[in-house]
Amino acid sequence: MVEGDNKSANMLAQETAQLEEQLQAWGEVILAGDRVLRWQKPWFPGVLVAATTALFLLIYYLDPSVLTGVSSGVMLLCLADYLVPTLAPRVFGSNKWTTEQQQRFHEICGNMVKMQRRLLGWWRRLCTLKEEKPKMYFTSVISSLLALAWIGQQVHNLLLTYLIVTLLLLLPGLNQHSVFSKYTAMAKREINKLIKKKEKKNE
C-alpha cells in the first residue's frame, strides 16, 4: 500500500514537472489569471463578469455562424500561442520571477494534473459501469442527456453558455473566499432549526 502511494506520488510529481516545463512560457500569464480568478482584489469579480458580458454581447451582435465562430476561436488560440511566449516576458518582466511565484505556479500545475486525473477516473468509472451494469449505464446516460436537451430547449443557447462560462470563471473565487461553505452552513442551520421545530410539535 505504501509502495503504491509512493509510486502514485512520484508519477504525480513527474507529470507536474512535465506540465510546468510545457507551460513555462505562459507562466506570467497564468499567474496573472490566477490572481484575477481568485479575487485578490475586490473589483476582480466585476471585471470578470463585465469582460464575459462584453464578449457574449459582441457574439450576440455579430451572430456568427458555427463555422465562423469555431474558426475565429481557433485562430485566436493560434495567435495567442504564437504571441504570448514572445510578448509575456516584455510585459511582465521574467527577471522579476520570485520563489513565491514559482511555488504558486507549481501548485497550479499540480492542481491541473490532479483535475486531469480526476476526469480520467470519472471516465474509467463510466466505462466500468457500462461493462458491469449496462442497464443502469443506459438509463442514467439517456436520462441525463434528455434533461440537458430539455434545458437547452427552454433556455437560449447563448444565454445558457454565458451563464455556464460566468459561473465557471467565478467558481475559483467563490471557493477561495469560502462563499459556498458559508451559505451551505447557513442552509444547514436553517434546516436543523426546522427539524427541531417539527420534533417539538410532535412531542
Side-chain angles (χ1 to χ4, degrees):
M1 184 67 179
V2 176
E3 291 181 0
D5 292 339
N6 290 335
K7 184 178 179 181
S8 178
N10 291 334
M11 289 182 63
L12 178 63
Q14 184 178 359
E15 292 175 11
T16 302
Q18 291 175 353
L19 186 60
E20 283 185 56
E21 184 178 354
Q22 293 170 2
L23 297 178
Q24 193 64 45
W26 286 74
E28 291 87 355
V29 177
I30 291 173
L31 288 177
D34 176 66
R35 287 193 292 271
V36 175
L37 291 175
R38 291 192 297 125
W39 305 356
Q40 285 196 352
K41 294 186 178 180
W43 47 271
F44 279 164
V47 171
L48 285 173
V49 174
T52 308
T53 303
L55 175 62
F56 277 87
L57 284 175
L58 180 64
I59 295 173
Y60 177 76
Y61 176 74
L62 296 175
D63 192 22
S65 65
V66 175
L67 184 59
T68 302
V70 172
S71 300
S72 300
V74 174
M75 180 180 64
L76 290 174
L77 289 175
C78 290
L79 285 173
D81 185 51
Y82 175 74
L83 294 175
V84 167
T86 304
L87 297 178
R90 299 178 184 178
V91 175
F92 296 98
S94 57
N95 57 334
K96 297 180 181 178
W97 192 265
T98 64
T99 305
E100 184 180 353
Q101 289 175 319
Q102 183 64 43
Q103 180 62 30
R104 181 57 193 164
F105 182 64
H106 177 75
E107 291 175 2
I108 293 171
C109 291
N111 290 334
M112 292 172 68
V113 171
K114 290 176 184 177
M115 178 58 68
Q116 181 185 18
R117 286 187 164 196
R118 198 172 293 122
L119 291 174
L120 288 174
W122 290 342
W123 177 255
R124 291 193 187 98
R125 282 194 288 271
L126 191 63
C127 293
T128 301
L129 181 65
K130 179 182 177 181
E131 293 176 359
E132 296 179 354
K133 299 179 180 179
K135 292 182 179 179
M136 182 182 294
Y137 166 82
F138 177 79
T139 303
S140 58
V141 170
I142 295 299
S143 301
S144 301
L145 293 176
L146 284 174
L148 289 175
W150 180 82
I151 293 172
Q153 187 66 26
Q154 301 302 314
V155 185
H156 191 278
N157 290 334
L158 191 60
L159 176 60
L160 185 61
T161 307
Y162 166 74
L163 294 174
I164 293 172
V165 170
T166 303
L167 177 61
L168 290 176
L169 290 175
L170 294 176
L171 198 59
L174 292 171
N175 287 331
Q176 178 71 20
H177 293 270
S178 303
V179 175
F180 283 133
S181 59
K182 176 183 176 182
Y183 285 101
T184 302
M186 289 174 60
K188 287 181 179 179
R189 285 197 298 268
E190 294 299 323
I191 292 172
N192 289 332
K193 288 180 182 178
L194 291 174
I195 293 174
K196 289 180 179 178
K197 287 181 180 179
K198 287 185 178 180
E199 289 177 352
K200 289 180 179 178
K201 288 181 180 179
N202 292 332
E203 291 176 357

